[in-house]
Amino acid sequence: MAVNAVQKEKRSAARGGFSFYHRLALLYVLNLTDWLCTRVLLASGFFVEANPLMKSVMGGFGTSVLVKCVLPLVMILLCALLCRLAGAEKNKFANVMLIVGIIAYSLVNVWHIFNFVLLFSVI
């Protein structure tokens, strides 16, 4: 049954849709761009970290890399492995949650673009 789900996922991706694993990769890339943009905006001195949970993390480079790059990568890889083993690539709940995460990170990245426009209009 798990092999059948994987084959369906591959056929869906071949038709032009994004596979479950492509969406996982996109979520991670959006996370990385969020981290990078946040670091650059904070370094400008014109912006502060708005997330109270991340204020202490974003203060140091090593901790921010660990929390925003390494930990999410491990979680994404673990999620991909577990979904592959369980054959859950077509699970509607998992896909909806993944799409919600992609939309949320996309909005955060749009906010960063807006902040870069503000930053470059001040400089």
Side-chain angles (χ1 to χ4, degrees):
M1 185 160 157
V3 174
N4 197 11
V6 171
Q7 289 171 344
K8 286 181 184 177
E9 185 73 18
K10 286 180 182 177
R11 282 194 300 262
S12 173
R15 288 192 303 259
F18 290 102
S19 74
F20 178 80
Y21 303 103
H22 286 124
R23 288 189 293 268
L24 275 176
L26 176 60
L27 183 65
Y28 183 67
V29 168
L30 288 170
N31 174 63
L32 288 180
T33 58
D34 168 41
W35 170 73
L36 182 63
C37 290
T38 300
R39 294 289 301 174
V40 170
L41 288 169
L42 291 176
S44 75
F46 291 104
F47 295 91
V48 295
E49 176 61 59
N51 183 348
L53 297 174
M54 293 302 292
K55 276 188 183 184
S56 62
V57 171
M58 292 305 286
F61 182 76
T63 56
S64 70
V65 168
L66 181 67
V67 171
K68 289 295 285 179
C69 300
V70 176
L71 188 60
L73 179 61
V74 170
M75 291 172 32
I76 293 266
L77 292 174
L78 183 62
C79 179
L81 177 66
L82 291 175
C83 285
R84 169 75 48 111
L85 292 174
E89 294 95 349
K90 286 293 188 181
N91 183 293
K92 286 199 184 272
F93 180 73
N95 279 299
V96 167
M97 292 305 295
L98 195 50
I99 290 169
V100 166
I102 288 170
I103 290 170
Y105 265 116
S106 296
L107 291 173
V108 168
N109 282 300
V110 166
W111 180 249
H112 284 311
I113 292 168
F114 176 73
N115 284 322
F116 276 116
V117 169
L118 285 176
L119 177 64
F120 291 126
S121 68
V122 170
I123 295 179

